[in-house]
Amino acid sequence: KQEVTQIPAALSVPEGENLVLNCSFTDSAIYNLQWFRQDPGKGLTSLLLIQSSQREQTSGRLNASLDKSSGRSTLYIAASQPGDSATYLCAVLMTTDSWGKLQFGAGTQVVVTP
Amino acid sequence: GAVVSQHPSRVICKSGTSVKIECRSLDFQATTMFWYRQFPKQSLMLMATSNEGSKATYEQGVEKDKFLINHASLTLSTLTVTSAHPEDSSFYICSARQGFNQPQHFGDGTRLSIL
């Protein structure tokens, strides 16, 4: 059974600092890994998707890496801003699931202070 | 980017009422749609998965007669909470995906409050 873990559960940084968010998974049989952000009372916004064959993906200030063999992904957010405050979730898509259901971590709640 | 529209965003109604929530993919064809429920301070709990034109597959513990899901077209899925009671109050979120290995996109959620 796949287990997805995100540590830390909460993180507070001053504006301008780089953010490093960690995601680990126990079963490396994944198709892809997706990072999302969720603002309070809202749905999820897709940030980046990394295919299992890729090592990293970049979009603007965001960079996500994937080490499938060690079961880890890291989301880097450069030069954080107060608008980056949100809960960040990672999720994996398993090759063994014919329906393609995402397995979510519990999330990291981020606060960027001005 | 891909947009998933969910409506209504908030519903307040009396116990015993049935409530329908719509989920539309606006700029792509969604072969698969998912319905989630989220409790305060918790992660998403998958309720059911549906492919267009097929019956939904429900997760263990989710009552299919209570939560009716229809995925009638490649751009529309509906969730109907039948005879809703206060314990059904929650935040419901839909998501849609064009292909198996494609990103999953989420609606903004529906806050359901049953009095």
Side-chain angles (χ1 to χ4, degrees):
Chain A
K1 182 177 182 284
Q2 176 72 276
E3 289 186 13
V4 182
T5 304
Q6 291 186 249
I7 294 173
L11 183 62
S12 180
V13 299
E15 182 177 3
E17 224 174 77
N18 296 332
L19 282 163
V20 181
L21 307 177
N22 298 301
C23 172
S24 62
F25 47 95
T26 55
D27 188 339
S28 63
I30 66 170
Y31 265 124
N32 61 47
L33 184 145
Q34 203 166 351
W35 281 95
F36 300 90
R37 70 174 275 169
Q38 185 175 27
D39 294 287
K42 295 289 187 181
L44 277 64
T45 300
S46 178
L47 298 175
L48 289 167
L49 180 144
I50 313 178
Q51 302 293 353
S52 63
S53 58
Q54 296 175 319
R55 298 284 292 183
E56 66 176 337
Q57 277 285 344
T58 299
S59 175
R61 292 185 296 114
L62 277 59
N63 175 279
S65 66
L66 175 65
D67 185 343
K68 198 175 80 162
S69 60
S70 66
R72 283 187 290 198
S73 177
T74 303
L75 177 67
Y76 301 89
I77 303 177
S80 62
Q81 304 168 357
D84 295 328
S85 299
T87 297
Y88 291 82
L89 296 133
C90 68
V92 297
L93 178 63
M94 301 297 297
T95 61
T96 50
D97 186 339
S98 58
W99 281 99
K101 297 177 288 189
L102 289 177
Q103 305 286 335
F104 282 90
T108 295
Q109 187 173 14
V110 171
V111 174
V112 180
T113 55
Chain B
V3 177
V4 173
S5 173
Q6 187 172 341
H7 180 81
S9 58
R10 174 141 199 158
V11 180
I12 302 173
C13 57
K14 293 181 180 179
S15 184
T17 308
S18 290
V19 178
K20 181 185 281 190
I21 303 169
E22 286 190 354
C23 180
R24 294 182 184 272
S25 57
L26 297 185
D27 54 358
F28 66 98
Q29 293 189 323
T31 55
T32 307
M33 285 187 165
F34 305 85
W35 287 95
Y36 295 84
R37 185 171 178 175
Q38 188 175 33
F39 295 100
K41 305 286 187 185
Q42 294 187 26
S43 193
L44 288 80
M45 182 188 80
L46 180 65
M47 298 174 67
T49 303
S50 71
N51 286 325
E52 183 263 338
S54 303
K55 286 185 180 179
T57 299
Y58 290 81
E59 294 299 300
Q60 194 170 9
V62 177
E63 300 174 59
K64 60 180 69 175
D65 294 331
K66 159 70 83 174
F67 299 101
L68 300 178
I69 291 170
N70 184 284
H71 190 167
S73 77
L74 283 171
T75 58
L76 174 65
S77 175
T78 59
L79 167 67
T80 301
V81 184
T82 61
S83 187
H85 292 284
E87 59 267 28
D88 298 323
S89 298
S90 193
F91 191 55
Y92 293 88
I93 310 174
C94 72
S95 72
R97 186 182 67 204
Q98 185 169 19
F100 187 86
N101 210 14
Q102 298 294 311
Q104 200 166 314
H105 298 283
F106 286 75
D108 272 344
T110 297
R111 174 74 56 193
L112 177 62
S113 300
I114 307 298
L115 305 176

